[in-house]
Amino acid sequence: MTQLPDAEKLCAQLAAELRPRIGPKTAMIGIHTGGAWVAERLHALLGLPEPLGLMDIAFYRDDYHAQGLHHDPKRTKIPFDVNGRELLLIDDVLYSGRTVRAAMNELFDYGRPASIALAVLVDRGGRQLPICAQHCGAQIEVPAGMRLRLKRGADGKLALALEKQGE
């Protein structure tokens, strides 16, 4: 069985790694659902002055209809102008790269940021698109037929879990 790292410790390590790159034009956007949880934690740890942005990218995915995804446009809230911003895009698990591609497509509907840096809690490999994270808490090899999920307990604590695909 694969030993999974502590998600809370990974958040703290990621915040320490991100701290030096925070500047006056930095803003953060988390991708629903797990990426939003990680972004909430990082935003608080880093004390960013700009409010946190959140995105629901389901409609922007190229496999939207095939996956049966449900888009709720009310879940996307970007409470700042993205033009000229140095954006930190936050997700929980980087896998195929399709979620990140969809997020960047949606971001450019809001304006033209100066830069976008991707920070993920975990990179599990298996990319289908040429996308990589600039900041990564951990790299984990996930067994075939399994998926890596971030879960949030009733106490708000984050934890990684392996599940059989399709569950």
Side-chain angles (χ1 to χ4, degrees), residues 47-118:
L48 293 175
E50 281 296 332
L52 176 62
L54 300 173
M55 296 179 80
D56 175 10
I57 54 82
F59 184 71
Y60 285 80
R61 283 192 55 121
D62 58 359
D63 56 357
Y64 174 72
H65 295 292
Q67 295 288 331
L69 298 168
H70 303 288
H71 176 62
D72 181 359
K74 294 183 294 282
R75 290 199 328 167
T76 293
K77 292 184 176 78
I78 301 179
F80 50 82
D81 184 6
V82 303
N83 287 301
R85 290 275 181 193
E86 295 165 356
L87 296 179
L88 290 172
L89 183 61
I90 311 296
D91 204 4
D92 55 349
V93 178
L94 178 58
Y95 181 35
S96 68
R98 293 181 183 284
T99 296
V100 174
R101 184 206 55 84
M104 289 191 298
N105 285 353
E106 184 172 356
L107 274 173
F108 283 102
D109 285 350
Y110 285 85
R112 188 168 190 267
S115 66
I116 301 171
L118 176 62

Side-chain angles (χ1 to χ4, degrees), residues 4 23 34 38 87 107 141 143 155-156 163:
L4 298 176
V38 174
L87 296 179
L107 274 173
E141 219 171 288
D155 59 358
E163 300 175 346

Side-chain angles (χ1 to χ4, degrees), residues 122-134:
V122 176
D123 181 345
R124 64 157 289 176
R127 218 76 71 241
Q128 297 170 355
L129 299 173
I131 290 175
C132 68
Q134 286 71 37

